[in-house]
Amino acid sequence: MIGVLVFPDFQLLDAAGPISVFEIAGRFAGNASAIRVLAETPGAVRSSSGVEWLARGLRPAAAISTLIVAGGEGVREAARSARVLAFVRAAARRGVRIASVCSGAYILAEAGLLDGRRATTHWQRTRHFLTAYPKVKLEPDRIFVRDGDIWSSAGISAGIDLALALVAEDFGEEIAQQTARQLVIYHRRSGGQSQFSSLLELKAPTGRFGPLLSWAREHLDAPLTVEHLAERAGMSSRHFTRAFIAETGTTPSKAVERLRIEVARQQVQSSSAAIERVAEVTGFRDPERMRRAFIRAFGQPPQSLRRAARAG
């Protein structure tokens, strides 16, 4: 049985995404798992969108094999509930596989399930999370992270990636891929990918600006201004900017920064090159500029990510 824990002002898609994954996977596998929505107070639970879900109470449920904890605006209040925390801890003691979506990680952290464990959450919450839960080995740029039977993921779409990974564990990779295709997902992302690379991956590579972004990634030490990119695309700067935003959902300059951040992160974590050299070859030029970009993206400077990678 799949249990999905919600609370007042939960994010609807944090729960609906994984539920849909398990529903479709069960049909393909011919072995559908029962799915139950759970809440501290049984009955109608209002999401942050105003849509209400009917939930069961938190009575001990030995049949639950996987517990998925949603995130959302109401997570801080839920993380202060003694009943919610006791329920999550009891599930962990029974060996239940537990997963959080987005800020649902706060509930797992407050319950003590993430102490000493690797975990992730939405990148916007990184700085606060690191301060609030210093015992957690937060990996701020991961799409999802597994540490034993405890899983955690970033935002809404990452919850779907996490659920697909759970399906692959339960039913095999082929069922997971069939489920992804049914959901019209281009492909199933692994947890090791960056939240930032995913923003471009979801919208750009298969579109008309895919080749341009691939070229930019190979020439990060070039200026890569809007004018430079527009010229390479054979468009005026104004038309290029409008078209790029419409297709990718971000500006050219932000896209380039994300590419630089991702490549720089990989070099910082996997090589011994000096930080100054990484900043130079990835187009940041100034190490301080790269440091500020890292803090915006990951909540940590390059040196911290390098130390964490070496420690791991």
Side-chain angles (χ1 to χ4, degrees), residues 118 120 139-146 151-153 158 161-162 165 188-198 201 262 265-266 269 298:
R118 297 164 49 246
T120 195
E139 299 189 2
D141 64 329
R142 299 298 83 186
I143 289 177
F144 66 84
V145 170
R146 177 186 184 179
W151 303 57
S152 54
S153 67
D161 289 298
L162 180 147
R188 185 167 72 82
R189 294 178 292 166
S190 68
Q193 287 182 253
S194 164
Q195 291 185 37
F196 272 74
S197 64
S198 70
E201 178 188 357
E262 175 60 10
R265 180 193 63 80
Q266 292 172 355
Q269 292 182 318
F298 311 128

Side-chain angles (χ1 to χ4, degrees), residues 16-263:
I19 286 174
S20 295
V21 169
F22 278 101
E23 173 209 350
I24 293 168
R27 291 206 303 267
F28 282 126
N31 183 22
S33 299
I35 302 173
R36 299 286 184 267
V37 178
L38 309 170
E40 180 176 7
T41 303
V45 182
R46 186 182 179 88
S47 69
S48 57
S49 68
V51 174
E52 295 183 340
W53 274 17
L54 192 63
R56 302 187 181 203
L58 298 182
R59 294 190 301 270
I64 292 178
S65 60
T66 298
L67 177 65
I68 298 174
V69 181
E73 294 302 314
V75 73
R76 301 283 180 83
E77 188 67 27
R80 288 193 287 266
S81 167
R83 288 190 62 203
V84 168
L85 298 179
F87 178 80
V88 172
R89 291 183 187 117
R93 286 195 297 270
R94 292 198 307 272
V96 172
R97 184 176 58 180
I98 298 178
S100 64
V101 180
C102 195
S103 58
Y106 277 82
I107 294 176
L108 303 194
E110 196 65 35
L113 302 190
L114 299 183
D115 287 354
R117 290 182 182 269
R118 297 164 49 246
T120 195
T121 189
H122 193 284
W123 63 269
Q124 286 185 319
R125 296 181 181 266
T126 294
R127 189 168 298 178
H128 179 269
F129 196 95
L130 284 167
T131 302
Y133 305 107
K135 294 181 181 179
V136 180
K137 298 177 181 177
L138 192 70
E139 299 189 2
D141 64 329
R142 299 298 83 186
I143 289 177
F144 66 84
V145 170
R146 177 186 184 179
D147 193 322
D149 284 336
I150 306 296
W151 303 57
S152 54
S153 67
I156 291 169
S157 66
I160 293 175
D161 289 298
L162 180 147
L164 286 167
L166 296 174
V167 164
E169 183 173 71
D170 292 345
F171 302 119
E173 184 63 32
E174 179 56 32
I175 296 296
Q177 293 293 351
Q178 289 178 17
T179 303
R181 288 194 292 270
Q182 181 67 23
L183 290 165
V184 198
I185 295 174
Y186 178 62
H187 72 287
R188 185 167 72 82
R189 294 178 292 166
S190 68
Q193 287 182 253
S194 164
Q195 291 185 37
F196 272 74
S197 64
S198 70
L199 294 175
L200 293 177
E201 178 188 357
L202 284 172
K203 293 186 176 181
T206 56
R208 59 173 164 167
F209 294 118
L212 178 65
L213 288 170
S214 296
W215 175 86
R217 186 183 177 89
E218 298 301 319
H219 297 82
L220 292 177
D221 57 344
L224 299 184
T225 62
V226 170
E227 293 74 21
H228 190 185
L229 295 172
E231 180 180 0
R232 185 165 183 85
M235 303 166 69
S236 70
S237 297
R238 185 175 181 182
H239 179 51
F240 169 73
T241 299
R242 286 181 176 177
F244 191 93
I245 292 173
E247 181 162 328
T248 68
T250 191
T251 65
S253 60
K254 287 183 179 178
V256 168
E257 180 173 271
R258 288 171 185 166
L259 288 174
R260 283 179 168 144
I261 288 171
E262 175 60 10
V263 173

